[in-house]
Amino acid sequence: MKTFELYEQYLEQGKGLQEARKRYDDKVQEAEQALADAKVKLDEVIHAELASGADKGKEKAAARKAIEQAEKDVAHAVEERSIAYKHFSGPGGSITSAQIVQAYLNEYVPAVKEEHLTDIKARMEQGQALIMSALYDFYRLKREYRDIVPKIQVINDVAVRTGEQSGSYYIPNPFENRAETGFDPYKLGDQLTRVADGYELPDGVKYIGQAFEMKEEK
């Protein structure tokens, strides 16, 4: 598969954006955890005061101040993340999604076709020409030998009437049976469908990887 370089760069750019998002998410989580820890500290101070009966006014004030600061830190972290996400939801980098689509349609697809489709098309045309030429010769020969069949049939009938042979024989055209050519359009259709579905080439089919020179009859 041909490398789509701009797409690979876009993916690398996306990894950078994911890392940036994670940094802002981590800041919010850290601030929220600090707030939770500050609230736990206040609970601990209050429980200690109740258990000992001692005045813990200074410790409680410090704990409440820590909670207030932690709440501000959470609000700031959430606000910064929101602003950052608005940026990330847009182009978010030097390579935009629209540029990838246009590069794929106008550069990548034509390059891949030029690299592979030209030879495939040549082999398709050769394959069709070979099949059509072979069938053309088969049916031409069938017509060419058509007239001799009834003549031999008459002689066959005479031989029976005169007792020269005990029975009548079926007199065929040498090219009567298309199956003898090895070409079965129904089987070919089924094989083509299987190949299109991803199956390997059928047994007995020789893979031809490139077009070959075909000489035209003069």
Side-chain angles (χ1 to χ4, degrees):
M1 181 175 176
K2 185 178 182 64
T3 301
F4 188 3
E5 293 183 0
L6 190 64
Y7 173 64
E8 297 296 329
Q9 296 172 17
Y10 178 79
L11 293 179
E12 288 299 320
Q13 171 184 282
K15 292 179 182 177
L17 293 177
Q18 290 177 0
E19 292 174 357
R21 289 189 182 96
K22 187 176 185 303
R23 287 198 298 271
Y24 284 98
D25 288 338
D26 289 346
K27 288 181 179 179
V28 171
Q29 291 177 2
E30 290 171 2
E32 290 175 340
Q33 184 60 53
L35 175 59
D37 292 343
K39 290 179 177 179
V40 170
K41 180 63 177 178
L42 177 60
D43 288 343
E44 291 175 350
V45 171
I46 293 174
H47 283 116
E49 184 180 60
L50 293 173
S52 64
D55 182 14
K56 300 288 184 179
K58 290 183 179 180
E59 290 87 340
K60 288 189 291 183
R64 290 190 177 96
K65 187 175 181 180
I67 290 174
E68 291 176 1
Q69 183 59 50
E71 288 175 340
K72 291 179 181 179
D73 291 342
V74 169
H76 291 156
V78 170
E79 182 182 11
E80 288 180 0
R81 183 177 67 177
S82 177
I83 294 172
Y85 267 42
K86 289 179 181 178
H87 170 72
F88 295 143
S89 64
S94 59
I95 305 173
T96 67
S97 300
Q99 287 175 328
I100 292 297
V101 174
Q102 292 304 311
Y104 178 83
L105 294 174
N106 300 320
E107 299 174 20
Y108 184 72
V109 169
V112 170
K113 285 185 176 182
E114 183 178 0
E115 182 176 344
H116 298 289
L117 199 56
T118 300
D119 181 70
I120 289 175
K121 183 179 179 181
R123 284 185 285 158
M124 287 283 192
E125 291 174 349
Q126 285 186 343
Q128 293 178 63
L130 285 170
I131 291 176
M132 291 302 297
S133 298
L135 286 173
Y136 173 83
D137 285 342
F138 175 80
Y139 288 113
R140 176 182 58 79
L141 288 166
K142 184 176 183 178
R143 290 190 299 273
E144 184 176 325
Y145 285 86
R146 179 173 54 196
D147 292 342
I148 196 174
V149 173
K151 295 175 182 178
I152 302 303
Q153 184 62 55
V154 170
I155 295 175
N156 177 66
D157 294 341
V158 170
V160 173
R161 287 198 305 271
T162 60
E164 292 182 43
Q165 63 186 41
S166 59
S168 179
Y169 291 91
Y170 174 70
I171 307 301
N173 184 312
F175 299 93
E176 182 172 310
N177 187 3
R178 188 190 63 200
E180 292 180 342
T181 68
F183 177 70
D184 183 342
Y186 302 105
K187 182 179 179 181
L188 177 62
D190 180 65
Q191 291 174 336
L192 290 173
T193 299
R194 289 176 62 82
V195 168
D197 289 340
Y199 288 88
E200 296 295 326
L201 288 177
D203 292 339
V205 174
K206 180 180 178 181
Y207 174 75
I208 301 175
Q210 62 182 13
F212 50 87
E213 183 181 358
M214 293 177 63
K215 296 181 179 180
E216 296 183 5
E217 293 187 4
K218 296 182 180 179

